[in-house]
Amino acid sequence: MTTVGDMDGDLDLLVDTLAGFARTLAHGYEIADVLHDLTDRMRTVLGILGAGVNLLHGDRVTFVTSDSEAIASLERVQEEHQQGPCVDAARSGEVVVAADVAASADRWPVYAAHAASVGIEAVAGIPMRLNGSTLGAVNLYDDAPHAWSEHELTIARVFADIATSYVVNASQLDRQRRTAEQLQRALDSRIVIEQAKGIISAHRHLGIDEAFRVLRKYANDHHASLRATAEAVVNLGLRP
């Protein structure tokens, strides 16, 4: 039975995790590092063997991280065979629980056999969902049969939401960063191309438009980018 003291302790750790998540997002840490930190916190707050995370990559469920080698080996089995409660959770978008994995051997034979070999007896897969789409699953593991309570699953959903938020936000930040880099490269290219046009114009006594056509033709004839050709004009003395 969960006591008030237990719930207070859970709340304290959840608040600490949320605060840590906010700091981590602000610092732009790697997704794998953040998810590993979350699995470690889940193990502590729930008092279970450990946790793991898998993500959907195309139509396959791919193992990302866990906080123990036993769990990692089981996650890799799921990835290899695309079979197990965590795969089902990621694909269905629904919570999938196995209070006693051995009792589910007919459903997941390879998975259940490996779970038994590494001492894992209970699993719960919590989908990572956003706007109707599922990104993957946060997975709970224990080394004894475990009837997962609604209280535990609610806490796990909070962690799954944290993981989902980080993955989505980090991906958006990465896209924004790449876009900013591309814009800067476009700006840099424009500047060096303008310089090259001016040099060719002065060297060949051409108008700027004609100088640009000369630059572009040279780049095309030599299978080079316009920027690379312009840089050669400006920095290496090339005169098309």
Side-chain angles (χ1 to χ4, degrees), residues 39-126:
T39 61
D40 186 59
R41 291 176 183 270
M42 290 179 76
R43 173 182 53 78
T44 302
V45 73
L46 293 173
I48 56 178
L49 176 66
V53 177
N54 57 43
L55 295 175
L56 280 166
H57 187 68
D59 61 352
R60 290 183 61 82
V61 176
T62 304
F63 165 56
V64 176
T65 190
S66 71
D67 58 354
S68 81
E69 181 52 36
I71 292 171
S73 70
L74 189 52
E75 290 273 8
R76 286 192 288 266
V77 166
Q78 288 194 101
E79 178 179 354
E80 179 182 356
H81 296 277
Q82 293 297 294
Q83 173 195 115
C86 309
V87 170
D88 289 355
R91 285 182 169 163
S92 70
E94 302 292 335
V95 174
V96 177
V97 298
D100 185 352
V101 175
S104 302
D106 289 344
R107 184 175 179 183
W108 308 302
V110 176
Y111 177 87
H114 190 78
S117 73
V118 295
I120 292 174
E121 299 193 33
V123 185
I126 315 299

Side-chain angles (χ1 to χ4, degrees), residues 144-159:
H146 188 130
W148 303 100
S149 70
E150 188 57 38
H151 175 67
E152 291 171 315
L153 296 178
T154 296
I155 292 173
R157 288 187 191 98
V158 172
F159 278 100

